[in-house]
Amino acid sequence: MATTTDYDAPRTTITAGDSMEKLQARRGAAEMAAVDADENDLAAAPEFTGSDLDEEEFTVAVVPMMADEFRCTRCFLVWHRSQRATAAPALCRDCS
């Protein structure tokens, strides 16, 4: 975990008499002070008002293909016959 450094904080110097336990305790205290109390709040997904659409039912009107339309064999989109590029494999101008 990356820690942030406060460059404005007073620096402590290490002297020859400091033991390893004191240095580790000082380091642990500094890391504990940097921990955000609301760390668990960041993991929760944000809730937006009006976003609960679990019980909504969406309907789309499906219109059958007209006589002057064709379905491209590559992109599977329905196009007007003026957009047809080739006759044998029905390809639109975008896919040819």
Side-chain angles (χ1 to χ4, degrees), residues 19-32:
S19 66
M20 187 61 132
E21 290 81 19
K22 285 183 182 178
L23 294 175
Q24 288 177 344
R26 189 184 314 164
R27 179 177 169 201
E31 287 178 357
M32 292 299 288

Side-chain angles (χ1 to χ4, degrees), residues 8-82:
D8 295 328
R11 297 182 184 204
T12 57
T13 57
I14 300 173
T15 61
D18 287 343
S19 66
M20 187 61 132
E21 290 81 19
K22 285 183 182 178
L23 294 175
Q24 288 177 344
R26 189 184 314 164
R27 179 177 169 201
E31 287 178 357
M32 292 299 288
V35 173
D36 189 11
D38 296 329
E39 184 177 273
N40 294 332
D41 291 341
L42 298 175
E47 290 290 328
F48 300 109
T49 57
S51 65
D52 186 20
L53 301 175
D54 292 339
E55 297 181 15
E56 290 292 324
E57 188 172 320
F58 299 105
T59 57
V60 176
V62 178
V63 179
M65 199 162 58
M66 304 299 282
D68 61 346
E69 295 176 331
F70 73 99
R71 184 180 303 115
C72 178
T73 57
R74 186 171 294 163
C75 66
F76 301 105
L77 294 176
V78 176
W79 296 91
H80 187 263
R81 67 175 176 218
S82 64

